[in-house]
Amino acid sequence: MPHGITVDDKLHEGERFVSYQWEKPRTKGGPRKGLLTIIQAKDGSVRAFTDYNGKSRTEVEIIEYTPGESFKGHFDNFMSYTEFNLKLAGDKLAEGSYQLIGNVRWPTTGEIVASSAEPGAVIPEPTGGYPAELTEQEQSLILGGEITVWAENINTQTMENRIWPRSYAIAERFWSSEELTDEASMYKRMRAIDNWSEISLGMRHHADSRVMMQRLANGADITPLLALARYTEPAQYYARNWEKWIQTENHGDLYNQHERLNRFADALPVESYAVYAMNDLVEQFEKGDKQALTALEQHYQTVLNAATAAEPVFAANVASVDTVALTKATSRLLK
């Protein structure tokens, strides 16, 4: 249920604040703009919120913050998981600042528009109001929710790969208590139900993906393609669609229902379990588990072998020749 604003956005005695006006360009349409406000309390604790492109004011969970140097924090919005990674330099955001939308980095510029360093300065008013906060009576009128698939470029071959297994996680969110927030447990259970859905219900997301890989391989062994796919994600949110938009002199020629969805990226699942596992291993190693490094090295070797073997396969098909750039970049990174 909506709970209204989840952060105190008022400035209290002894607290200091800084508000940045930021801008993130897009390759289709105008730039996204908004505010990021950071408040530091007398005890040193910090809280933050954003007014994102006219949307309601939202709390930003702070990951790291060094005043005057850097800020890293995240929240969920209408686009996806969104993460500010900002380099602070004087009254501006320094080069190298970006927002992570899903798994894609978008360069971000900006400057301070208000701060406690200016006499009489106040926190800017929200540009999109505050989140809805329902009364108990209003909450009783909500009967359920729905899962939607937003995609201009989709067909029968790629549809199920976009729906499953993510829809199971959304459905669970609907019927579970608010206290169920263990993300690691969710992914473990989602993998189990993913296998069950294919075996017991006949879902075709893995089967359709495999057929697409076979078409790309054109008779060659698809094993390296499948292995590389385990560690690769398609660009999330609208990144791929906007790239399609600008690829032709007449913008939009590839951004329509007639576009062939026969590339390596089209066959990929939306998330990589293997990459999540690698992230977990990094955290374990940082906590002192030396064996985690050995397991991580095995992942790297698997990816390197897959990229090396997949490169000539991709190069032999006009639908995948551009993916050679991915295998070369992967090999350079891992060697």
Side-chain angles (χ1 to χ4, degrees), residues 147 159-172 186-187 189-198 203 205-206 269-271 273:
I147 300 168
M159 172 68 78
E160 290 206 29
N161 222 358
R162 298 294 178 266
I163 297 176
W164 315 115
R166 278 185 159 189
S167 294
Y168 297 125
I170 299 172
E172 181 185 79
M186 182 270 292
Y187 274 109
R189 288 178 284 108
M190 192 161 71
R191 293 187 70 171
I193 200 168
D194 187 18
N195 292 332
W196 170 80
S197 69
E198 183 179 26
M203 299 302 184
H205 48 302
H206 295 303
V270 293
E271 292 180 291
Y273 293 139

Side-chain angles (χ1 to χ4, degrees), residues 28-215:
K28 180 178 183 291
R32 299 283 189 194
K33 301 178 180 181
L35 289 169
L36 172 68
T37 298
I38 307 166
I39 301 175
Q40 188 163 12
K42 288 191 295 185
D43 62 2
S45 61
V46 183
R47 60 190 187 274
F49 52 86
T50 185
D51 301 291
Y52 204 98
N53 205 69
K55 303 298 181 180
S56 57
R57 179 161 287 181
T58 303
E59 179 178 10
V60 176
E61 295 188 27
I62 299 172
I63 302 172
E64 299 173 1
Y65 176 52
T66 303
E69 294 185 13
S70 63
F71 177 88
K72 184 177 182 179
H74 71 91
F75 70 105
D76 288 330
N77 70 1
F78 64 100
M79 296 184 296
S80 182
Y81 172 89
T82 299
E83 184 179 283
F84 290 104
N85 288 265
L86 308 179
K87 297 180 179 180
L88 314 178
D91 62 351
K92 297 185 181 299
L93 300 182
E95 185 177 353
S97 296
Y98 66 91
Q99 292 179 40
L100 185 68
I101 311 296
N103 59 9
V104 179
R105 295 185 179 190
W106 297 89
T108 300
T109 57
E111 61 184 5
I112 294 176
V113 293
S115 80
S116 297
E118 306 166 8
V122 296
I123 295 175
E125 291 296 315
T127 56
Y130 286 94
E133 188 167 8
L134 305 183
T135 65
E136 288 187 10
Q137 182 180 4
E138 289 170 333
Q139 291 183 27
S140 69
L141 299 176
I142 295 181
L143 303 181
E146 69 174 2
I147 300 168
T148 58
V149 179
W150 294 93
E152 288 90 339
N153 297 126
I154 201 166
N155 61 19
T156 55
Q157 197 86 61
T158 62
M159 172 68 78
E160 290 206 29
N161 222 358
R162 298 294 178 266
I163 297 176
W164 315 115
R166 278 185 159 189
S167 294
Y168 297 125
I170 299 172
E172 181 185 79
R173 180 72 279 165
F174 288 152
W175 68 57
S176 301
S177 67
E178 290 183 283
E179 289 69 32
L180 185 62
T181 57
D182 188 335
E183 186 175 304
S185 173
M186 182 270 292
Y187 274 109
K188 182 178 180 180
R189 288 178 284 108
M190 192 161 71
R191 293 187 70 171
I193 200 168
D194 187 18
N195 292 332
W196 170 80
S197 69
E198 183 179 26
I199 296 170
S200 300
L201 298 182
M203 299 302 184
R204 292 195 51 82
H205 48 302
H206 295 303
D208 289 341
S209 176
R210 189 179 182 89
V211 169
M212 295 178 72
M213 296 291 188
Q214 289 174 321
R215 288 173 177 163

Side-chain angles (χ1 to χ4, degrees), residues 214-328:
Q214 289 174 321
R215 288 173 177 163
L216 288 175
N218 197 26
D221 183 11
I222 67 170
T223 301
L225 275 62
L226 295 174
L228 185 61
R230 290 183 57 231
Y231 295 89
T232 313
E233 294 178 341
Q236 294 167 353
Y237 187 52
Y238 271 82
R240 285 196 67 213
N241 288 342
W242 290 339
E243 284 301 308
K244 286 178 182 289
W245 176 265
I246 64 173
Q247 286 304 306
T248 53
E249 183 176 354
N250 180 38
H251 287 177
D253 282 352
L254 300 181
Y255 191 50
N256 57 62
Q257 70 272 29
H258 303 298
E259 165 69 351
R260 295 186 68 181
L261 306 180
N262 60 349
R263 298 171 178 84
F264 182 62
D266 295 309
L268 296 174
V270 293
E271 292 180 291
S272 168
Y273 293 139
V275 170
Y276 288 141
M278 293 175 74
N279 287 334
D280 289 341
L281 289 170
V282 171
E283 292 181 5
Q284 293 170 27
F285 178 72
E286 290 176 342
K287 293 177 182 178
D289 184 356
K290 303 302 182 183
Q291 292 183 341
L293 183 59
T294 300
L296 194 60
E297 290 173 341
Q298 292 174 347
H299 277 291
Y300 274 99
Q301 191 60 52
T302 298
V303 180
L304 178 59
N305 292 342
T308 302
E311 185 170 323
V313 180
F314 288 139
N317 191 323
V318 67
S320 58
V321 66
D322 289 341
T323 310
V324 169
L326 170 67
T327 60
K328 288 184 178 298

